[in-house]
Amino acid sequence: MKSALISSHPFDDQRPGTSGLRKRVSDFQVPHYLENFLQAIFDSQPDLRGGTLVVGGDGRYYNREAIQIIIRMAAANGVGTLIIGLGGLLSTPAASCLIRKYRANGGIILSASHNPGGPDGDFGIKFNTANGGPAPEAITELIYACTRTVDCYRSVDCDAIDLDIAGEQLMGEMRITLIDPVTDYAELMSELFDFGLIRKLFRSGDFRMLFDAMHAVTGPYAHHILEEQLQAGAGTVINGTPKEDFGGGHPDPNLVHAHEIVERSAGVDGVDFAAASDGDGDRNMILGRDFFVTPSDSLAVMAANAHLIKGYRESIHGVARSMPTSQAVDRVAEHLGISCYETPTGWKFFGNLLDDSRITLCGEESFGSGSDHVQEKDGLWAVLFWLNLLAVRRQSVAEIVTEHWQTFGRNFYTRYDYEGIESAAAKALVEHLRDQLPKLPGSKLGAYKVEYADDFSYTDPVDGSVSEHQGIRIGFTEGSRIVYRLSGTGTQGATLRIYLEAYEADPEKHRKETAEVMRPLVKIATKLAEIEARTGRSEPTVIT
Ligand code: G16
């Protein structure tokens, strides 16, 4: 089979963001755009020549076309074996599982995560390294550097591969294996969690759950694991068929977009437990009856209860959270006498800590949690962790979380997002905040006294790499915090995020409304950043 060299020209907007290269579908459809980025991956990763590459995506619009392009370019670039999820599907955590299990040299995951899909929606591409995790900054920067000079790419001319037939075939010298996307992942889950005990919980007849797959990639995984293996009952999984446009929905597991399970877990007839995951299956939302578990609390509860779960019974080495995630897990770590790391936003920053066995569990406020079982955050894993916990403790979600607060105190938490603001205005706003940092420590903002104010910089304790400008932190003496940063996953203009956290030790005050507790901090945060004057917005687009 002959490989051809096709002329193109470098694109200057291919620097990967928080999680790979994420753009509008129409951007990826520009001739040579995807091909150039792929060539940059092949050029920067010589191990792929003769090596094994895992490929799959969340099934969104353009997934199948992109996989055919990857197949042709992989063959032309000398890849030895391609492992592809049947139908072109692989959830992000399942891709990580396969890379590790089959000792692949890397993986390409096609997803724009929770962003909407369809011809007018978003698309994305992520490269994961041999440890199964997202490429660290050093590698994404290398790929970016290659994109600046790529002016041709290699491809072979051949018929499209049928992505819906399992088995092996050859394309020239490259072996292509199409495998069931669920089997290996489901096997790993059964090793970590007590499936027998969870089955008993479902059989008891007094426990009902719902899982919203949001017409995204976890549908087949959830049908198999929850309904078939755990016998949760037909109908437990809703919106379980992956669709190219996610059924017109927004596959973001939060209280707004996963509203169906919010409604069906409310009131006396509500289910006991409900959960959802996102486009590529790495995010999760956890609900009890009339009860929302914030992602930050979820991580803290998991850490505090890990000893009750089969796969984590022995011990957990340490925990980590992204900087804007609430400090709830820090309190658990202190109580357990284990290390707690604070990393920049982006799962890739957990990679070295996991590889070096410094941490077992980690999570983020952005609805992500995971462990050392794979090198990605994992939506269904989090759901199974909670199910296992509910099966052991036989208490409601609300009881488990409220008891947790009684022991550790409650970190009230909220996030304000201002989406699609003008990029220059967003940058100027951050500069304005930076300028104020030196004079803030020791000063008073409202009733709060500033303890520290900085632009977060992270030094990786394993390889010493330094990542600067990771968000503005303002910490107050009584434990509250305001954090500002610009999102690295949006595709239009800039998204400013403000993260607010207030600590309350007194159990009498734990049932207060979050909005009420946060009001004074919101006022301080919006004033300090001159939000309205600088962005023209009097209200955020989304409050989580
Ligand atoms: C990605 C990253 C996460 C990050 C999230 C939000 O998640 O993997 O680590 O927390 O984006 O990032 P940002 O605040 O920069 O928009 P996902 O699920 O979108 O791939």
Side-chain angles (χ1 to χ4, degrees):
M1 185 164 300
K2 247 188 113 203
S3 144
L5 209 53
I6 297 157
S7 292
S8 66
H9 58 87
F11 294 87
D12 62 6
D13 64 345
Q14 296 196 322
R15 176 178 248 145
T18 310
S19 184
L21 184 67
R22 222 173 261 186
K23 300 271 176 202
R24 314 288 294 176
V25 166
S26 52
D27 292 323
F28 276 100
Q29 288 171 325
V30 168
H32 312 313
Y33 192 85
L34 174 62
E35 289 86 345
N36 265 28
F37 191 75
L38 287 167
Q39 192 60 52
I41 294 177
F42 290 122
D43 288 349
S44 63
Q45 305 302 310
D47 286 357
L48 295 178
R49 182 162 281 279
T52 299
L53 180 67
V54 170
V55 178
D58 63 11
R60 68 178 59 225
Y61 183 82
Y62 203 54
N63 192 49
R64 284 174 177 264
E65 289 86 336
I67 290 179
Q68 298 294 346
I69 294 171
I70 294 170
I71 293 171
R72 290 195 292 272
M73 287 187 62
N77 280 280
V79 169
T81 302
L82 272 188
I83 298 176
I84 306 176
L86 205 57
L89 295 180
L90 276 180
S91 76
T92 288
S96 183
C97 163
L98 292 180
I99 295 169
R100 292 158 70 90
K101 183 163 179 177
Y102 297 108
R103 298 182 193 285
N105 302 80
I108 292 178
I109 305 169
L110 301 167
S111 172
S113 185
H114 55 292
N115 295 16
D120 300 322
D122 289 345
F123 192 73
I125 174 165
K126 309 186 273 188
F127 178 68
N128 281 32
T129 47
N131 69 352
E137 266 190 344
I139 291 183
T140 55
E141 282 300 298
L142 192 61
I143 294 172
Y144 174 58
C146 289
T147 67
R148 305 305 302 269
T149 55
V150 170
D151 56 5
C152 61
Y153 59 88
R154 281 186 203 86
S155 187
V156 296
D157 190 13
C158 65
D159 290 340
I161 295 292
D162 188 338
L163 297 177
D164 298 306
I165 300 177
E168 284 198 2
Q169 51 190 302
L170 284 176
M171 176 181 277
E173 288 179 12
M174 182 173 77
R175 183 180 305 279
I176 301 175
T177 310
L178 275 141
I179 61 168
D180 179 72
V182 176
T183 312
D184 296 285
Y185 176 81
E187 191 183 307
L188 178 59
M189 292 303 112
S190 70
E191 287 161 17
L192 296 173
F193 302 110
D194 190 338
F195 275 24
L197 196 68
I198 300 173
R199 266 194 292 271
K200 246 193 220 160
L201 177 67
F202 282 120
R203 259 192 256 124
S204 70
D206 58 5
F207 179 83
R208 288 178 306 143
M209 90 165 270
L210 276 177
F211 177 82
D212 189 352
M214 306 192 89
H215 285 305
V217 77
T218 41
Y221 296 85
H223 278 304
H224 179 74
I225 297 173
L226 297 175
E227 293 182 348
E228 291 167 27
Q229 288 187 290
L230 296 174
Q231 297 161 12
T236 297
V237 178
I238 60 170
N239 303 317
T241 308
K243 294 192 176 161
E244 287 200 331
D245 65 347
F246 307 116
H250 194 139
D252 194 352
N254 61 30
L255 295 170
V256 177
H257 296 299
H259 59 88
E260 191 174 342
I261 55 167
V262 177
E263 284 142 27
R264 292 177 67 184
S265 59
V268 278
D269 292 330
V271 294
D272 304 278
F273 179 57
S277 66
D278 69 333
D280 60 331
D282 57 2
R283 295 185 174 208
N284 72 87
M285 177 173 76
I286 300 293
L287 300 172
R289 185 180 300 145
D290 290 318
F291 200 90
F292 165 62
V293 186
T294 70
S296 298
D297 277 347
S298 178
L299 174 64
V301 169
M302 283 179 178
N305 290 279
H307 61 284
L308 300 175
I309 307 297
K310 183 175 148 192
Y312 304 92
R313 199 163 281 149
E314 296 304 309
S315 72
I316 52 173
H317 311 302
V319 291
R321 61 165 172 84
S322 66
M323 181 272 280
T325 303
S326 99
Q327 299 161 99
V329 74
D330 302 34
R331 296 177 186 279
V332 177
E334 196 184 338
H335 171 80
L336 295 175
I338 56 175
S339 302
C340 178
Y341 297 84
E342 182 178 44
T343 61
T345 294
W347 205 261
K348 57 193 170 204
F349 292 103
F350 295 135
N352 278 346
L353 301 174
L354 289 164
D355 277 352
D356 204 44
S357 299
R358 289 178 186 238
I359 60 168
T360 307
L361 298 176
C362 44
E364 295 186 282
E365 50 68 39
S366 56
F367 293 85
S369 39
S371 83
D372 55 4
H373 68 289
V374 290
Q375 270 272 2
E376 282 282 4
K377 56 184 186 274
D378 190 342
L380 259 180
W381 168 87
V383 175
L384 292 168
F385 194 114
W386 269 94
L387 262 179
N388 199 153
L389 184 58
L390 293 167
V392 173
R393 288 188 48 170
R394 288 299 188 122
Q395 289 171 292
S396 71
V397 172
E399 282 164 350
I400 290 175
V401 179
T402 331
E403 275 185 19
H404 182 91
W405 292 337
Q406 279 162 8
T407 311
F408 296 98
R410 178 172 179 188
N411 290 68
F412 283 92
Y413 192 81
T414 197
R415 187 176 101 181
Y416 277 38
D417 291 341
Y418 298 80
E419 293 173 353
I421 56 180
E422 215 241 308
S423 299
K427 274 191 195 139
L429 183 150
V430 172
E431 276 313 314
H432 165 71
L433 286 169
R434 262 187 206 131
D435 291 346
Q436 298 183 70
L437 292 176
K439 62 174 199 308
L440 284 178
S443 71
K444 280 202 92 179
L445 294 175
Y448 301 86
K449 188 169 177 200
V450 179
E451 186 177 345
Y452 63 90
D454 62 12
D455 190 354
F456 182 55
S457 168
Y458 176 66
T459 303
D460 185 302
V462 180
D463 65 13
S465 58
V466 178
S467 302
E468 291 181 311
H469 306 304
Q470 297 296 324
I472 307 280
R473 299 190 298 185
I474 300 173
F476 300 102
T477 45
E478 38 66 77
S480 300
R481 281 198 316 171
I482 299 173
V483 171
Y484 304 86
R485 61 178 284 280
L486 297 180
S487 158
T489 56
T491 55
Q492 277 169 319
T495 295
L496 171 71
R497 304 202 196 285
I498 307 182
Y499 312 82
L500 303 159
E501 174 179 2
Y503 180 67
E504 180 55 71
D506 180 0
E508 293 296 313
K509 297 182 181 158
H510 286 165
R511 296 310 294 234
K512 275 188 170 178
E513 286 299 322
T514 300
E516 181 196 336
V517 175
M518 292 301 180
R519 206 162 288 131
L521 282 173
V522 170
K523 214 167 148 198
I524 293 167
T526 48
K527 190 170 164 214
L528 193 69
E530 300 177 353
I531 301 283
E532 191 161 357
R534 289 175 175 276
T535 67
R537 305 284 177 84
S538 54
E539 293 297 329
T541 331
V542 184
I543 299 177
T544 322

